[in-house]
Amino acid sequence: MKGRILVTGGAGYIGSHTAVELQNAGYEVIILDNLSNSNAEVIDGIERITGIRPAFVKMDLQDKEALRQLFEDYPGIKGVINFAASKAVGESVKKPLLYYRNNLVTILNLLDLMPDYGVEALVFSSSCTVYGQPDILPVTEEAPIKPALSPYGNTKQICEEIITDTIHAGAPFKSILLRYFNPVGAHPSAEIGELPLGVPQNLLPYVTQTAMGIREKLSVFGDDYDTPDGSCIRDYIHVVDLAKAHVKAVDRMLNGESADAVEIFNLGTGKGVSVLELIKTFEESTGVKLNYEIVGRREGDITKVWADPEKANKVLGWTATETLADTLTSAWKWQQHLREKGIM
Ligand code: UD1
């Protein structure tokens, strides 16, 4: 065993895939989750994939005393990966206080208690949303932070600042801030994947639900952008690749390899893919025809963003390896699994 890692939000989409990769790498995983946007059966999926059942504590990370009790019950936690957060951009505009409270109180509780229990490392889930529409593409970690377009995006910027300020003030742990581009896909076993509640807001769940006949038609939000085919461009990264980067980040901090107490890495493939290209690749790789129509632009969407992942490649020793076709196929396989199970 390499040591105990607390994965907050570990029953969620990216958290569950990361729990799998941590266990594959020999870490002992403790999952904390309030199940507000996930399901306890995910723990069974992690066990089926890895053969190891992670410890699971159902609690709200806003409850500081419950967090203290968790650290008492599981002594020797070496690292924390914080996925526990609300993440729907549109909802955050309607319910800003919910987002500020949930996403900020939770990080404050962790930062308060980590030193009391000797935790050495914190990985924080941030987002390329902090760059807004970058002036230069691909976007590096040096690109300026732009004013946030939503309370959700603002919480990511504020959390990055809170962590950085706390460490610069002498907190006895290190942190790595990971800026994700667009995580998509599912574990190839189809045991775990993304489970959006209600009507999906993100592209790929909408694509797979339309392919399954759950949604009648996919709306492509705009074909009059300044891009080769007019639709928006993003950097879609397979969630398993993304999960593996978290293991690298934890290894780096616990092995004393960090160059600075706070480090930032972009996690993307380095390739920009338009909405229409994604649809075409989905149709070609799954053999399923997608019903879609072009509609007007969605408010708040940026035109194009993709990562310069060179720092993560060279410094973290991590590279995204999955192809877009395999990534989209994994998402489709997961959607079929949900149908077979009668979930969706
Ligand atoms: C957004 C957030 C990001 C957040 C992520 C996950 C911004 C700028 N980005 O990413 O920070 O981490 O959600 O919640 O706030 N699209 C359609 N039809 C659909 C859905 C989407 O055409 O039904 C298009 C969008 O216009 C966009 C692309 O697909 O061009 C990707 O959209 P989405 O999956 O929602 O992710 P982002 O908006 O890039």
Side-chain angles (χ1 to χ4, degrees):
M1 262 317 149
K2 274 174 152 175
R4 282 188 160 166
I5 306 296
L6 173 63
V7 182
T8 79
Y13 174 43
I14 305 172
S16 57
H17 289 81
T18 300
V20 165
E21 298 307 324
L22 285 166
Q23 292 191 334
N24 284 344
Y27 285 105
E28 181 189 348
V29 172
I30 295 142
I31 288 178
L32 172 172
D33 205 300
N34 67 359
L35 303 180
S36 62
N37 192 22
S38 56
N39 190 308
E41 281 165 29
V42 170
I43 310 299
D44 302 332
I46 296 169
E47 182 179 9
R48 280 195 293 272
I49 295 169
T50 62
I52 303 164
R53 191 169 185 82
F56 172 56
V57 181
K58 181 177 181 299
M59 59 160 271
D60 196 314
L61 191 50
Q62 288 188 50
D63 183 345
K64 193 169 170 185
E65 284 320 302
L67 179 62
R68 186 180 287 285
Q69 192 58 50
L70 185 152
F71 279 121
E72 294 284 344
D73 292 344
Y74 295 91
I77 290 174
K78 290 210 166 317
V80 174
I81 309 184
N82 185 38
F83 295 104
S86 304
K87 63 169 185 179
V89 176
E91 186 187 43
S92 80
V93 176
K94 294 198 184 91
K95 300 176 182 170
L97 289 182
L98 179 100
Y99 273 67
Y100 285 115
R101 185 172 296 110
N102 194 35
N103 293 6
L104 301 184
V105 172
T106 48
I107 197 76
L108 295 176
N109 286 346
L110 282 171
L111 293 171
D112 264 343
L113 294 186
M114 282 170 53
D116 292 356
Y117 293 91
V119 182
E120 297 166 33
L122 172 68
V123 180
F124 178 69
S125 300
S126 190
S127 166
C128 71
T129 195
V130 302
Y131 301 119
Q133 174 61 67
D135 301 322
I136 301 168
L137 289 168
V139 60
T140 71
E141 293 81 356
E142 307 302 322
I145 302 297
K146 297 270 176 81
L149 292 173
S150 68
Y152 158 78
N154 208 18
T155 66
K156 291 296 170 195
Q157 295 190 6
I158 296 170
C159 284
E160 286 197 1
E161 289 170 0
I162 292 174
I163 294 166
T164 306
D165 289 347
T166 305
I167 288 181
H168 287 166
F173 48 83
K174 296 189 166 56
S175 184
I176 291 185
L177 315 176
L178 297 176
R179 292 178 179 161
Y180 310 154
F181 283 67
N182 286 55
V184 291
H187 195 271
S189 65
E191 291 286 358
I192 55 173
E194 188 172 10
L195 199 57
L197 296 178
V199 181
Q201 305 300 312
N202 294 119
L203 178 60
L204 202 59
Y206 213 106
V207 165
T208 57
Q209 288 193 15
T210 306
M212 187 52 85
I214 300 166
R215 311 279 156 207
E216 194 201 332
K217 202 185 274 181
L218 168 75
S219 297
V220 173
F221 298 137
D223 70 347
D224 55 354
Y225 284 97
D226 177 23
T227 60
D229 66 20
S231 64
C232 293
I233 295 178
R234 298 287 184 274
D235 185 337
Y236 296 94
I237 173 164
H238 195 304
V239 67
V240 173
D241 273 334
L242 191 72
K244 288 176 179 165
H246 294 75
V247 179
K248 293 277 190 188
V250 169
D251 284 345
R252 180 171 172 82
M253 288 186 279
L254 295 185
N255 294 340
E257 292 164 1
S258 302
D260 287 304
V262 184
E263 292 183 303
I264 300 175
F265 294 99
N266 282 344
L267 297 182
T269 66
K271 287 188 221 59
V273 173
S274 76
V275 177
L276 292 173
E277 282 170 339
L278 184 142
I279 292 171
K280 191 160 166 278
T281 310
F282 181 84
E283 290 183 332
E284 282 168 3
S285 53
T286 63
V288 184
K289 196 100 190 80
L290 207 62
N291 189 21
Y292 70 91
E293 68 175 339
I294 313 284
V295 300
R297 293 182 177 196
R298 179 173 72 174
E299 204 189 329
D301 269 339
I302 56 163
T303 304
K304 49 190 167 185
V305 64
W306 60 94
D308 183 339
E310 197 183 307
K311 184 178 176 200
N313 299 163
K314 288 198 172 143
V315 179
L316 202 56
W318 168 90
T319 304
T321 57
E322 300 286 334
T323 64
L324 181 63
D326 286 346
T327 304
L328 300 180
T329 308
S330 74
W332 177 231
K333 201 172 154 196
W334 166 246
Q335 186 70 60
Q336 289 171 305
H337 167 88
L338 291 176
R339 173 54 54 92
E340 280 156 21
K341 292 259 174 181
I343 298 168
M344 213 178 261

